[in-house]
Amino acid sequence: MDIGVFNVIFGIITGIVVLVILVAVHELGHGIVARRNGVVLEEFGIGFPPRAFAKKLKNGVVFSLNWLPLGGFVKLQGEHDAASKKGDYGAATFWQKTKILLAGVLVNWVVAAVLLTILALVGLPKILPNQFSVPADTNLSTGPVVLSSVVKDYPAAKAGLQSGDKIISIDGQKITTPDQLIAQTKADRGKTVTVDYTRDGTPASKKVTLRDANTAVFGSTLSQTQSIRATWSAPIVGVATTGQFTWVTIQGLGQLLANLVTGIFGQLSPDQTTRKAASTNLAAAGDSVAGPIGILGTIFPAASKAGPKEVLFLAAVISLTLAVMNTLPIPSLDGGRWFVTALYKVRKQKLTKEKEEKIQAIGFSVLMILVVVVTIGDVTKLFK
């Protein structure tokens, strides 16, 4: 099997396993807190039906494995807010329902904090300029210069270099920073140089004839990672970084919403400049979102190829994102369900089964439309 195909398949499998685990522990949080608050947990399922396997445990809960690997679920007795029998979710107090609904959010947040704590011990990627660390217990390490991408028909690509290659030296001159590579290639423009690099851990070298020009003499974009390592302060770094990333995620969602709204309404403007700016905002919104195909088909394979630390980091970020998303007042998500319950409680109106089902159905339909739109965008990106 071609190594590229293997990496994609392995990445997809890794992504499915990670996503199933993160959603399953989220749902398990709901189930545990529900039982502790007197609500009967009827079933805890991994994946979605049709069923592949089911067993009734000693505590009366049905544990099931299902064929669709899209996460997991818990089934509570009397899940509608209007249910009133003993053991029903609907019969729980407002405070008990709040704890049950937010339990999944808390579990995902804790999982993110634990994963980031582990990474702080072995090397936590530094992606924020002001990323938290304890100066007295911080070792900042820098990775090699990596070719993020190579430009077709330019020297790097013509020589056979590929994205992901790690540059070691040029004509014996060790390369330790992107700026150093840029300066070295500019100084040697028009010449043929020997580039030493590693690909998938294997050392190699290529003869590259640089362009005799003022710009793009090599033809690639560059990146370099930095990692924070800690010892006794790792738990502090893990929790604090989770808080930082939570805020950054919220800001990112706000920017996404702003780009989406201004982009949609800007398209209605008669002014051509405004419409052009609106199109840019819509493009930015589309580029910042990834759906199932983007996550499983592109992001996870890239992370899997980079190494286990990158997979753990991606899992932490996704867990954190699940936590943030489920606090939003979107019907069919935890935050939306709580918001609807709270709204009817404040208005002192009864939330009937019919009303609740209608609200959740509308919310679910909107979410599915968004998933379809984002998935189409993912497919489009794959074929660009």
Side-chain angles (χ1 to χ4, degrees):
M1 182 184 292
D2 181 79
I3 187 66
V5 175
F6 174 80
N7 285 334
V8 171
I9 294 174
F10 181 74
I12 290 173
I13 294 172
T14 301
I16 290 173
V17 171
V18 169
L19 290 174
V20 167
I21 290 173
L22 292 179
V23 176
V25 297
H26 174 98
E27 295 297 326
L28 187 60
H30 291 314
I32 291 172
V33 175
R35 282 176 59 85
R36 290 188 175 182
N37 284 273
V39 177
V40 175
L41 173 59
E42 295 181 343
E43 182 179 356
F44 170 61
I46 304 294
F48 287 98
R51 275 185 184 178
F53 166 82
K55 182 178 180 180
K56 194 167 186 177
L57 306 179
K58 291 181 179 180
N59 58 9
V61 179
V62 174
F63 171 75
S64 67
L65 293 174
N66 301 275
W67 287 111
L68 297 179
L70 301 174
F73 67 93
V74 291
K75 183 181 178 184
L76 305 179
Q77 179 181 299
E79 289 187 332
H80 294 289
D81 211 61
S84 57
K85 290 190 302 182
K86 183 179 179 181
D88 286 349
Y89 167 80
T93 65
F94 177 71
W95 173 236
Q96 288 173 328
K97 291 174 183 175
T98 298
K99 290 189 289 183
I100 293 169
L101 289 173
L102 296 184
V105 171
L106 179 61
V107 168
N108 278 136
W109 200 87
V110 170
V111 167
V114 170
L115 292 178
L116 292 177
T117 296
I118 294 171
L119 285 169
L121 289 169
V122 299
L124 174 63
K126 184 178 184 295
I127 62 172
L128 300 178
N130 61 337
Q131 193 164 314
F132 180 86
S133 65
V134 178
D137 184 43
T138 297
N139 180 20
L140 188 64
S141 59
T142 303
V145 176
V146 179
L147 303 185
S148 300
S149 64
V150 292
V151 183
K152 185 179 179 181
D153 296 330
Y154 275 69
K158 285 181 177 179
L161 293 171
Q162 300 176 9
S163 64
D165 288 346
K166 299 174 181 178
I167 304 301
I168 299 172
S169 64
I170 296 179
D171 273 352
Q173 180 67 39
K174 189 175 181 181
I175 301 299
T176 57
T177 67
D179 287 342
Q180 189 179 5
L181 187 148
I182 293 170
Q184 182 73 28
T185 52
K186 281 188 176 180
D188 291 334
R189 61 191 174 190
K191 299 179 182 178
T192 298
V193 296
T194 300
V195 177
D196 297 312
Y197 65 98
T198 61
R199 180 181 297 167
D200 297 327
T202 303
S205 64
K206 296 283 187 185
K207 292 286 186 180
V208 180
T209 301
L210 303 173
R211 292 176 69 228
D212 189 7
N214 292 323
T215 59
V217 297
F218 190 62
S220 72
T221 57
L222 310 171
S223 65
Q224 187 173 42
T225 60
Q226 288 186 311
S227 298
I228 295 171
R229 294 188 66 180
T231 54
W232 58 265
S233 67
I236 301 172
V237 172
V239 172
T241 305
T242 303
Q244 271 190 309
F245 286 177
T246 299
W247 177 239
V248 170
T249 302
I250 293 171
Q251 288 180 311
L253 287 172
Q255 185 61 54
L256 170 64
L257 183 61
N259 285 338
L260 194 60
V261 172
T262 56
I264 291 173
F265 285 99
Q267 294 293 327
L268 305 177
S269 173
D271 182 63
Q272 185 177 356
T273 303
T274 302
R275 290 199 304 273
K276 187 176 180 180
S279 297
T280 302
N281 288 341
L282 283 175
D287 290 340
S288 64
V289 176
I293 290 178
I295 293 172
L296 296 177
T298 304
I299 300 175
F300 263 107
S304 298
K305 183 179 178 181
K309 287 196 295 186
E310 284 70 18
V311 172
L312 277 183
F313 182 69
L314 181 55
V317 171
I318 291 176
S319 188
L320 190 65
T321 303
L322 285 173
V324 173
M325 289 297 294
N326 275 284
T327 61
L328 301 178
I330 301 173
S332 79
L333 296 181
D334 297 334
R337 189 167 185 182
W338 179 88
F339 178 77
V340 171
T341 301
L343 182 63
Y344 273 81
K345 183 176 177 61
V346 170
R347 296 172 62 184
K348 296 181 180 180
Q349 292 181 341
K350 185 177 180 180
L351 179 58
T352 64
K353 179 180 178 179
E354 292 73 21
K355 286 181 180 178
E356 186 174 2
E357 286 180 342
K358 187 175 181 179
I359 292 170
Q360 300 302 331
I362 292 172
F364 183 76
S365 298
V366 172
L367 279 179
M368 287 303 98
I369 291 171
L370 288 175
V371 168
V372 171
V373 170
V374 172
T375 300
I376 292 172
D378 286 342
V379 173
T380 303
K381 291 173 190 174
L382 287 176
F383 290 96
K384 277 185 176 180

